[in-house]
Amino acid sequence: MKTRSSFCDFINHKFFEQGAFLTNPENQEITFARGGKTQKIISTPEQTCFYLKDFYQDTFIGYFPEETLTLPHSVVKEWLEEKTEINLSFMSVENEDKYYTEDFKKLKNSFGEELKKVVLVSCEKFTLQDASAAKRHFFTQALNYGTGLPYGFWGNGYGIVGSSPEVLFSLENLKLKTFALAGTAPLQNGEQLLNSHKDRTEHNLVITDISEKLRPFSADVKIDKTCLHPYRNIVHLKTNIECQLKKPGNPLELAALLSPTAALGGYPQSSAINFLSQTQYAKRHPQRFFGSAMGLHTPDANFAIVMIRNIQWHGDIFSIESGGGVVPESELESEMQEIHLKRESIKGHYL
């Protein structure tokens, strides 16, 4: 029987040395994993596997756990009710907003008939007095975010935990579900967001990007009406998209096809990635998982989420990345406000 006790037994020292967890967007069940090994993979394996996609390239790290435990969110919630939030003492190491400003100015001079949108990212790095305790705390806080899809992956000195508002895809038989998520505003400004020409333009490019990628594999791509999608103290524009695939989908191929979306990379994808690979940000962070895909392949489930709204660490250096879509009419001041809104939302919950 899957109980709170079985969960408490599972999240032991072994789990925090090498582990992962991911929430199924269809039923809100969370699969936890511990032990095992990681390795580069080039095809979808037969056994249960978590996978992370590199942002700039179609390469994947696969995690093959020794043990897994899948629980309904209600059981995890019982455990969370016994936990007490703590405030961590942290020291900022570096704020990379100045590099964002350089990339923004370069981008504004690069727009043309080909390049229509690019998602630029900034980062803040910091240290904590007790890094080991902080990592366990971040795990709890990701599960306790209150919205989105909690996820995490760590081992060998690197880790990432968060709660994502964005599903890359969920696949059942031949039915694929996804959605466009782009455009951000404070929660109280939802109606303004719906009527914002700049944000609707950006959002429609994401819809176009997903539709163009899916149409060769499906005779009928269905696009719903755009609506508001609240996420704690902010709100996004969201449009549900689904289709029936012509043949069974390979999860890694789907992840490579759809990620990065125009909501995290740009449009068209090849031009946007080419620009992003030349930015100050890419030079400082040549390997990147933020904004890319994390998925889970099992005999019973195939789905992937977009890795945003997270905290990462390399050794004992922690970082928060946040980004926003830039189109020709974007202004630096408003884009920086969006970056800071997302960053402060993460800091406010985890720190």
Side-chain angles (χ1 to χ4, degrees), residues 214-255:
L214 290 177
R215 283 203 170 96
F217 304 92
S218 173
D220 185 20
V221 178
K222 297 179 181 179
I223 302 172
D224 284 351
K225 183 179 179 181
T226 299
C227 60
L228 292 174
H229 180 68
Y231 183 83
R232 286 177 71 92
N233 64 329
I234 57 181
V235 65
H236 301 291
L237 296 175
K238 177 183 178 182
T239 304
N240 289 320
I241 300 171
E242 65 177 59
C243 68
Q244 197 79 6
L245 299 177
K246 296 176 183 177
K247 61 180 182 179
N250 178 308
L252 293 193
E253 290 180 357
L254 288 171

Side-chain angles (χ1 to χ4, degrees), residues 67-318:
E67 305 168 87
T68 62
L69 177 68
T70 300
L71 296 167
H73 184 265
S74 58
V75 173
V76 178
K77 187 176 179 181
E78 291 178 13
W79 176 78
L80 289 170
E81 289 173 351
E82 299 177 0
K83 307 299 288 185
T84 302
E85 289 189 23
I86 61 174
N87 293 318
L88 299 174
S89 176
F90 69 96
M91 178 180 297
S92 181
V93 175
E94 185 179 20
N95 181 314
E96 298 189 353
D97 287 354
K98 63 180 180 180
Y99 301 108
Y100 177 95
T101 299
E102 291 180 30
D103 291 334
F104 182 91
K105 292 178 179 178
K106 179 181 178 182
L107 175 59
K108 290 285 281 187
N109 293 323
S110 300
F111 282 121
E113 187 174 332
E114 177 66 22
L115 187 61
K116 300 183 183 300
K117 173 189 172 181
V118 173
V119 180
L120 296 180
V121 175
S122 186
C123 176
E124 182 175 342
K125 299 178 182 179
F126 52 95
T127 59
L128 294 151
Q129 288 183 338
D130 189 339
S132 178
K135 293 170 186 177
R136 292 176 178 246
H137 170 70
F138 294 154
F139 163 71
T140 300
Q141 289 299 88
L143 292 171
N144 201 29
Y145 203 72
T147 188
L149 301 166
Y151 66 94
F153 176 100
W154 57 84
N156 302 318
Y158 172 76
I160 180 171
V161 297
S163 185
S164 177
E166 188 165 358
V167 178
L168 185 68
F169 70 84
S170 62
L171 182 64
E172 184 175 359
N173 298 322
L174 294 177
K175 188 175 184 178
L176 182 145
K177 295 181 181 179
T178 184
F179 54 75
L181 193 77
T184 305
L187 187 60
Q188 67 272 20
N189 295 344
E191 288 302 316
Q192 292 175 235
L193 181 65
L194 273 174
N195 296 312
S196 166
H197 175 73
K198 179 265 180 187
D199 289 290
R200 292 303 289 255
T201 298
E202 178 189 342
H203 185 80
N204 288 336
L205 286 175
V206 178
I207 296 173
T208 300
D209 174 66
I210 296 172
S211 302
E212 289 177 347
K213 290 174 177 176
L214 290 177
R215 283 203 170 96
F217 304 92
S218 173
D220 185 20
V221 178
K222 297 179 181 179
I223 302 172
D224 284 351
K225 183 179 179 181
T226 299
C227 60
L228 292 174
H229 180 68
Y231 183 83
R232 286 177 71 92
N233 64 329
I234 57 181
V235 65
H236 301 291
L237 296 175
K238 177 183 178 182
T239 304
N240 289 320
I241 300 171
E242 65 177 59
C243 68
Q244 197 79 6
L245 299 177
K246 296 176 183 177
K247 61 180 182 179
N250 178 308
L252 293 193
E253 290 180 357
L254 288 171
L257 172 71
L258 294 171
S259 176
T261 69
L264 274 304
Y267 184 84
Q269 179 174 304
S270 58
S271 299
I273 294 299
N274 181 61
F275 178 87
L276 286 169
S277 65
Q278 305 301 316
T279 58
Q280 291 291 328
Y281 196 82
K283 293 174 183 177
R284 296 174 63 80
H285 305 279
Q287 184 181 48
R288 172 180 161 185
F289 292 114
F290 175 80
S292 192
M294 177 181 180
L296 175 60
H297 165 72
T298 77
D300 303 315
N302 275 303
F303 58 90
I305 58 94
V306 179
M307 291 186 289
I308 53 177
R309 312 296 155 79
N310 54 54
I311 282 188
Q312 300 179 67
W313 61 86
H314 291 82
D316 291 341
I317 300 295
F318 297 83

